[in-house]
């Protein structure tokens, strides 16, 4: 009887009790169940609400899986927390997404960069009324400079906001203000409120500003550990910090740069090469839709560089290789130029969080 009045008892719960168990992306190993607590979730939702200046009049698009941290926290929980509207697209398709944003007056999104790229490629993009769309959050991969410039030109009312986070962080640890998205495109932003981010060397000592090291993160958004996995918890959570496994740096003003996953860094003859730098350069070529860079074994140099590229127009593939190499040569040091190029017509393989599965690419192209 839906009309009946029912007494509902509040659950006896603590703010540090586990609410959700979300499994990590698993791009480099077996997924682990991160335990998201009440305090983790509240802090992360407040970060998005505050940074994006959201209120009950906003309309949030959910076009990423609601079972993963971006969809669940950045979209669902954040929107419910302010009593706003949630607009759901069950399966992302670029044209249908633009239809939905225009028709429903969507004001804010959190997507992966490839989704913005695909929408820009739609021939009818400029015909959509996107005037209410004011915040475009993104994360999980680099946003090519050309994408930032194209969005600024073709959707001038849209402010881009880089968000760096993970399942273990209940979503964001840094946010880049929209007004700095073009000027600081190399950065994932500043630490969110209450976050303590440090760059550490291989023996756990903090390095000087501008120096490269592993990103360690502490704060109320960091989960307490992994469900029924004390070994992984002890390995990844040290002295109150979560060891991200990401290589990056922090400048004197507190802006964070993420250069690569520790396991994806390429060592070519003693030179440490960060795949993100090469991917950013190659993605800037007008004929390249997206790309991924991986290392492969070399008996002389240890590792060499392989780039897998998805062209915007498959018809140009036969003539694209020398053009891409010339572009790389003009924009990279000689030891960073890829020695193998592979072109694929299908999109890069991604997990449900939108991250490129480099292990899959290694198996497909190198083994």
């Amino acid at each position: 009887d839906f009309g009946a009045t029912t007494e509902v008892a509040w659950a006896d719960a603590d703010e540090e009790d586990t609410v959700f168990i979300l499994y990590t992306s698993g791009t480099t190993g077996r997924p682990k169940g991160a335990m998201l607590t009440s305090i983790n979730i509240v802090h992360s939702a407040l970060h998005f609400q505050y940074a994006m200046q959201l209120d009950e009049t906003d309309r949030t698009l959910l076009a990423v899986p609601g079972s993963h941290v971006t969809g669940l926290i950045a979209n669902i929980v954040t929107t419910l927390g302010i009593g706003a509207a949630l607009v759901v697209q069950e399966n992302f398709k670029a044209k249908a997404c633009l239809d939905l944003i225009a028709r429903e007056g969507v004001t804010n999104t959190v997507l992966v960069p490839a989704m913005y790229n695909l929408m820009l490629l739609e021939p009818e993009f400029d015909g959509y009324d996107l005037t209410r769309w004011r915040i475009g959050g993104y994360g999980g991969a680099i946003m090519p400079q050309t994408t930032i410039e194209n969005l600024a030109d073709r959707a001038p009312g849209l402010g881009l906001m880089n968000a760096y986070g993970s399942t273990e962080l209940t979503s964001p640890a840094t946010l880049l203000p929209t007004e700095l998205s073009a000027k600081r495109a190399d950065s994932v932003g500043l630490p969110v409120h209450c976050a303590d981010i440090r760059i550490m060397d291989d023996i756990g000592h903090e390095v000087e500003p501008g120096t490269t090291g592993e990103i360690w993160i502490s704060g109320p958004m960091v989960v307490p550990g992994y469900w029924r996995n004390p070994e992984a918890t002890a390995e990844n959570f040290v002295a109150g910090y979560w060891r991200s496994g990401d290589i990056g740096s922090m400048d004197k003003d507190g802006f964070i740069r993420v250069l690569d996953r520790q396991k994806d860094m390429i060592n070519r003859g003693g030179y440490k090469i960060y795949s993100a730098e090469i991917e950013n350069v190659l993605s800037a070529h007008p004929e390249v839709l997206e790309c991924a860079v991986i290392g492969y074994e070399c008996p002389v140099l240890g590792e060499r560089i392989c780039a897998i590229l998805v062209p915007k127009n498959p018809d140009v593939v036969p003539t694209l290789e020398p053009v891409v190499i010339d572009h790389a040569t003009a924009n990279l040091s000689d030891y960073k130029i890829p020695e193998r190029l592979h072109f694929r017509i299908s999109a890069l393989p991604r997990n449900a969080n939108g991250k490129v599965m480099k292990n899959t690419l290694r198996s497909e192209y190198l083994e």
Side-chain angles (χ1 to χ4, degrees):
D1 183 357
F2 291 102
T5 302
T6 304
E7 292 291 330
V8 178
W10 287 98
D12 183 16
D14 185 81
E15 65 179 13
E16 295 187 359
D17 287 347
T18 298
V19 177
F20 301 120
I21 297 175
L22 297 183
Y23 279 80
T24 57
S25 299
T27 57
T28 57
R30 187 173 180 176
K32 301 175 286 289
M35 300 182 290
L36 278 62
T37 67
S38 292
I39 195 168
N40 297 153
I41 295 162
V42 168
H43 269 268
S44 288
L46 288 173
H47 294 150
F48 281 115
Q49 292 168 13
Y50 175 78
M52 293 183 172
Q53 299 180 19
L54 303 175
D55 61 31
E56 68 277 5
T57 65
D58 279 296
R59 300 177 69 80
T60 301
L61 175 70
L62 174 63
V64 295
S67 57
H68 290 77
V69 72
T70 301
L72 179 59
I73 305 301
N75 292 326
I76 297 173
V77 173
T78 297
T79 303
L80 291 177
I82 53 175
L86 188 68
V87 179
V88 179
Q89 183 182 29
E90 186 174 355
N91 295 300
F92 176 80
K93 300 292 182 184
K95 185 179 186 306
C97 190
L98 287 167
D99 289 337
L100 204 56
I101 291 171
R103 184 174 70 250
E104 298 293 336
V106 166
T107 60
N108 56 291
T109 56
V110 182
L111 305 170
V112 296
M115 292 178 169
Y116 292 103
N117 272 331
L118 290 170
M119 285 191 280
L120 283 168
L121 289 175
E122 284 298 316
E124 300 172 17
F125 183 94
D126 297 323
Y128 286 99
D129 179 3
L130 305 176
T131 51
R132 290 204 64 195
W133 192 15
R134 60 183 182 83
I135 299 288
Y138 66 94
I142 58 172
M143 179 78 90
Q145 187 64 36
T146 52
T147 304
I148 294 173
E149 293 168 358
N150 285 337
L151 285 169
D153 180 50
R154 300 173 66 185
L158 179 64
L160 295 177
M161 180 175 288
N162 199 345
Y164 166 67
S166 71
T167 308
E168 290 90 344
L169 301 170
T170 324
S171 211
T174 71
L175 291 167
L176 181 66
T178 56
E179 63 271 17
L180 297 178
S181 63
K183 295 178 182 177
R184 301 300 301 259
D186 64 328
S187 168
V188 295
L190 297 163
V192 297
H193 290 286
C194 304
D196 180 9
I197 300 181
R198 306 194 179 201
I199 311 299
M200 312 293 272
D201 64 18
D202 292 341
I203 58 174
H205 293 162
E206 189 171 7
V207 301
E208 294 295 321
T211 305
T212 298
E214 184 183 5
I215 301 172
W216 290 27
I217 304 165
S218 179
M221 74 296 299
V222 180
V223 304
Y226 300 115
W227 174 250
R228 295 181 177 175
N229 195 338
E231 296 83 6
T233 297
E235 180 182 352
N236 291 274
F237 295 83
V238 178
Y241 288 82
W242 175 59
R243 300 183 57 177
S244 70
D246 287 332
I247 300 299
S249 63
M250 178 189 296
D251 68 18
K252 60 183 178 57
D253 298 316
F255 285 89
I256 308 291
R257 293 181 69 210
V258 179
L259 299 170
D260 214 343
R261 289 291 296 165
Q262 211 166 33
K263 296 178 181 179
D264 289 337
M265 187 178 68
I266 300 166
N267 188 332
R268 186 184 187 277
Y271 288 102
K272 292 182 178 180
I273 300 170
Y274 303 111
S275 59
E277 179 188 3
I278 303 173
E279 289 163 356
N280 201 21
V281 167
L282 297 183
S283 296
H285 191 279
E287 294 291 347
V288 175
L289 177 60
E290 58 178 351
C291 70
V293 168
I294 53 179
Y296 63 96
E297 290 186 8
C298 170
V300 177
L301 296 175
E303 288 183 290
R304 293 182 184 268
I305 304 165
C306 172
I308 297 100
L309 304 98
V310 179
K312 290 181 180 178
N313 179 5
D315 295 336
V316 304
V317 169
T319 59
L320 195 51
E321 181 167 349
V323 175
V324 170
I325 291 298
D326 287 346
H327 175 74
T329 303
N331 292 280
L332 292 167
S333 300
D334 57 359
Y335 65 90
K336 298 178 183 179
I337 298 170
E339 289 137 309
R340 285 189 189 174
L341 293 182
H342 294 283
F343 296 93
R344 57 186 287 142
I345 305 306
S346 59
L348 295 174
R350 284 184 161 80
N351 63 21
N353 268 351
K355 294 181 180 179
V356 173
M357 301 289 287
K358 291 194 173 182
N359 278 351
T360 301
L361 293 174
R362 291 187 185 97
S363 298
E364 184 175 348
Y365 291 99
L366 301 182
E367 294 181 5

